[in-house]
Amino acid sequence: MTFYSYSYLKGGQTNWGIIKIAVISLLALAFLVFIIKYSRNKWDLKYKDLSIILGTLLLLAVAIQYSDFTNLRTASVQSGQLTVVIEKSAKKLDIKPESIAINDTSRNNDMLIKTPKGYYSLVFNGSGSEFLLSKVDLYEPDVTVVGE
C-alpha cells in the first residue's frame, strides 16, 4: 500500500513546467525566425514549409501545456484539501503534521492515514466538511511512503 507524506502533498510542484515553457519559447522563436525569412524571400518555399511545421508544433505544445496546467490546478486544489485534513488529524492526535502520511492523493471516503501512533481510517460526512477518525489495525501491511 502506498502512502504519501505531508511534505510530498505540500510540495507537489515539479520543475517540468519550466522546461515545457522553455521548449514553447524556443519553438515560438524559431517560428518567428522562419516567418521573417519567408517574408524576405517570398520565392524560397522551404521557409514557408518550415514555418508551417513549427507553427503546428507550437500549437500542439501550447495545447499540451494548457491541459497540463488545468490538471495541475485540479491536483493542487485536491492536495490543499488533503493537507488541511492532515493538519486537523495531527491536531486531534496531538502530533506533528510532518509525521503523517495518507494513502491517496485525492479525497475519498475510504482513506487511511499512517501516524507514529498507528493507522487511522478517515470517513467523511456527506458535505465533506468533517470527518471521523478511528484507529484500525492492518493485517500484514506492506507500506511504502512516497516523499519521505
Side-chain angles (χ1 to χ4, degrees):
M1 183 178 297
T2 303
F3 284 81
Y4 302 93
S5 70
Y6 178 74
S7 60
Y8 176 82
L9 293 172
K10 199 85 166 157
Q13 306 294 331
T14 62
N15 292 335
W16 285 108
I18 296 169
I19 294 170
K20 288 178 186 176
I21 290 172
V23 168
I24 289 172
S25 299
L26 287 175
L27 281 173
L29 182 65
F31 177 71
L32 288 174
V33 166
F34 286 123
I35 286 289
I36 291 169
K37 284 196 176 258
Y38 173 66
S39 66
R40 288 187 182 163
N41 304 319
K42 292 283 187 193
W43 297 108
D44 202 355
L45 294 180
K46 71 179 176 185
Y47 296 121
K48 177 183 175 185
D49 295 340
L50 287 172
S51 297
I52 291 171
I53 290 169
L54 284 175
T56 305
L57 286 174
L58 183 62
L59 287 175
L60 179 65
V62 168
I64 290 171
Q65 180 65 22
Y66 178 75
S67 173
D68 288 348
F69 173 72
T70 56
N71 290 341
L72 180 64
R73 188 174 54 186
T74 303
S76 175
V77 167
Q78 289 176 348
S79 292
Q81 291 172 347
L82 287 178
T83 56
V84 170
V85 168
I86 289 175
E87 289 164 357
K88 286 183 179 179
S89 300
K91 188 175 180 180
K92 287 181 182 180
L93 296 171
D94 195 32
I95 56 177
K96 293 182 180 181
E98 292 79 15
S99 64
I100 294 179
I102 198 161
N103 75 329
D104 204 344
T105 56
S106 61
R107 195 173 79 178
N108 60 44
N109 213 17
D110 297 323
M111 298 181 77
L112 295 174
I113 61 170
K114 178 185 177 294
T115 69
K117 295 182 178 183
Y119 295 93
Y120 290 85
S121 173
L122 293 169
V123 179
F124 293 93
N125 66 354
S127 66
S129 59
E130 294 295 324
F131 58 89
L132 172 68
L133 189 63
S134 59
K135 188 165 176 71
V136 296
D137 292 319
L138 297 180
Y139 178 71
E140 296 182 14
D142 182 22
V143 173
T144 58
V145 179
V146 176
E148 279 190 329

